[in-house]
Amino acid sequence: MTRDGAVAAVEALFDAGGSDAYFGERVTQLQHALQAAQCAQRAQADDELVLAALLHDVGHLLGSENIHAEIGVIDHDKSCVDWLQQHGFSPRVVALVSGHVDAKRYLVATNPDYYQRLSDASRQTLALQGGAMSDQEVAEFESNPHYRDLLRLRSWDEQAKDPEALTQDLWHYRALIARHAHR
Ligand code: FE
């Protein structure tokens, strides 16, 4: 895959599905992605972490048979792994995207206040995503080399649901995607 291929593929995905609602929230898929990436940039995250924030929900845009009308692709965190690899995204970007639902399951298990702060839609999907982690899963997650980044990504994901937020457009990330996929 050429670097232009990765940029074009990301743009094509958002062109096709970016204006869809982000399930149960008052933002579109594109707004959600751009807000998450902007949160990452404002937090001075490195390039791979910004890309993971931008792309964390591409599994919804890729579609699947494992789809639910109101909450989208159930395993959207894992179903996009092949696509990300094929388009040249690094193992770290892949690990961050594919772990973003695990981070939610971890936080529900370890932070009593966290569940209360989740949006209604995010609470509904939790059960389908496996619910709170077990003690063993918690221990495994804490030994994940991407543990801290996954928790940061999760917080940006949750902040990226503001219908009034102003962001850069997808064009802003072209060079970043191209540079990364060409590394
Ligand atoms: Fe998300």
Side-chain angles (χ1 to χ4, degrees):
M1 183 66 58
T2 66
R3 60 189 176 145
D4 291 340
V7 172
V10 170
E11 287 177 339
L13 271 187
F14 281 101
D15 278 350
S19 60
D20 294 352
Y22 179 65
F23 307 97
E25 312 288 353
R26 291 166 59 218
V27 291
T28 66
Q29 293 283 344
L30 178 61
Q31 286 174 316
H32 179 63
L34 294 174
Q35 287 181 28
Q38 180 158 283
C39 287
Q41 285 201 307
R42 285 182 175 164
Q44 304 191 337
D46 63 84
D47 287 357
E48 286 177 310
L49 196 41
V50 171
L51 280 172
L54 181 71
L55 300 173
H56 76 277
D57 275 337
V58 291
H60 284 308
L61 302 176
L62 290 164
S64 154
E65 285 164 16
N66 189 9
I67 196 159
H68 182 290
E70 276 149 49
I71 63 173
V73 176
I74 312 284
D75 59 345
H76 71 281
D77 51 330
K78 316 285 187 209
S79 63
C80 58
V81 165
D82 286 351
W83 186 91
L84 289 169
Q85 289 172 338
Q86 283 162 12
H87 290 87
F89 292 98
S90 68
R92 179 157 168 257
V93 170
V94 173
L96 291 167
V97 170
S98 67
H100 84 276
V101 171
D102 293 335
K104 171 175 151 186
R105 296 184 53 233
Y106 170 81
L107 287 165
V108 171
T110 55
N111 183 342
D113 297 332
Y114 179 77
Y115 181 82
Q116 300 306 324
R117 292 204 303 269
L118 286 178
S119 65
D120 289 344
S122 197
R123 285 184 202 174
Q124 281 169 24
T125 57
L126 177 66
L128 287 164
Q129 291 164 338
M133 282 185 167
S134 67
D135 290 349
Q136 188 186 338
E137 288 173 314
V138 164
E140 282 168 15
F141 188 76
E142 286 174 348
S143 62
N144 183 319
H146 307 290
Y147 169 66
R148 299 216 171 268
D149 289 338
L150 284 167
L151 294 185
R152 297 178 81 196
L153 174 58
R154 186 75 222 170
S155 78
W156 301 326
D157 186 358
E158 274 148 30
Q159 289 169 51
K161 300 176 179 178
D162 176 0
E164 313 294 337
L166 296 175
T167 65
Q168 307 278 359
D169 59 18
L170 189 55
W171 186 261
H172 176 76
Y173 297 96
R174 274 185 131 240
L176 179 59
I177 296 167
R179 196 162 67 234
H180 175 83
H182 194 58
R183 72 195 185 286

